[in-house]
Amino acid sequence: MDEARGQAADDAMMTRIGQVIMLHRGGDREEARNRFALLWEEIGEDGDPLHRCTLAHYMADTQDDPADELMWDLLALAAADALTDERTRRHPGAPAVRAFYPSLHLNLAADYVKLGQEEAARSQLAMARQASDALGEDPYSEGVRSAIERLALRLGEATGGASRRQAGGEAAPPQG
């Protein structure tokens, strides 16, 4: 019975986080940032790693200052490091923990680009590439791979995208 209540509470928090994500995607960045901040206070710095990772990952996208965005993306990564596959399995539809890392490292690489820290960006991009083997063959995964390649091109690095397309793979739609 207690486990069922815990799972319902987990789902309730993920639902609330999802509602704020939708608010942000609907264009109300400031209100989303304010609501994420309230949820962060409720979850706490030592709260459920899945909640912290998800919230921090999306909170980063609401930031105006690249340094603040970096801070939230680092908090998302730290929460992912504390996350277990057992925990993600309790939330329907959540991928294995290792599938979080390509996007988390990609976001950090983009943050470092914004901050003019090219070497740190390249390091995070390399980690995103290395972690991308955990991605599946679905639109989300293809979007992450495509974003990795776009950032690599922006940094002047060679990518494997052209050879994949020549080998018959489809290019993924751009991800914002």
Side-chain angles (χ1 to χ4, degrees):
M1 185 78 125
D2 288 335
E3 185 177 332
R5 272 191 231 133
Q7 287 179 345
D10 290 344
D11 290 342
M13 180 55 74
M14 290 302 286
T15 297
R16 292 169 64 200
I17 292 169
Q19 290 168 338
V20 180
I21 292 167
M22 290 172 55
L23 180 67
H24 178 241
R25 288 182 178 162
D28 199 341
R29 183 181 177 128
E30 184 175 352
E31 183 62 22
R33 183 173 45 240
N34 293 337
R35 289 189 189 186
F36 276 140
L38 291 172
L39 289 175
W40 183 260
E41 287 179 25
E42 189 175 328
I43 294 167
E45 291 183 22
D46 297 321
D48 184 317
L50 180 60
H51 297 160
R52 288 185 294 125
C53 181
T54 305
L55 189 147
H57 177 71
Y58 287 101
M59 175 66 128
D61 295 338
T62 69
Q63 302 304 303
D64 296 324
D65 183 333
D68 291 337
E69 187 173 358
L70 173 64
M71 179 201 70
W72 283 104
D73 281 329
L74 288 169
L75 287 169
L77 180 64
D81 288 344
L83 196 51
T84 65
D85 284 330
E86 178 184 328
R87 172 59 188 100
T88 61
R89 281 192 293 271
R90 290 191 340 238
H91 182 74
V97 174
R98 63 190 211 102
F100 287 37
Y101 286 95
S103 178
L104 294 171
H105 287 295
L106 173 63
N107 287 350
L108 287 166
D111 295 342
Y112 286 122
V113 166
K114 291 176 191 173
L115 292 167
Q117 298 178 25
E118 195 170 299
E119 285 309 308
R122 288 179 192 284
S123 175
Q124 288 296 323
L125 186 61
M127 286 187 248
R129 280 182 171 146
Q130 184 176 15
S132 69
D133 68 340
L135 296 171
E137 296 299 327
D138 55 75
Y140 168 79
S141 298
E142 288 303 314
V144 171
R145 286 186 190 97
S146 179
I148 289 170
E149 292 198 19
R150 283 194 309 275
L151 188 57
L153 287 171
R154 185 172 171 190
L155 289 170
E157 294 183 9
T159 68
S163 61
R164 259 180 81 174
R165 282 188 293 274
Q166 289 170 355
E170 274 188 43
Q175 299 286 312

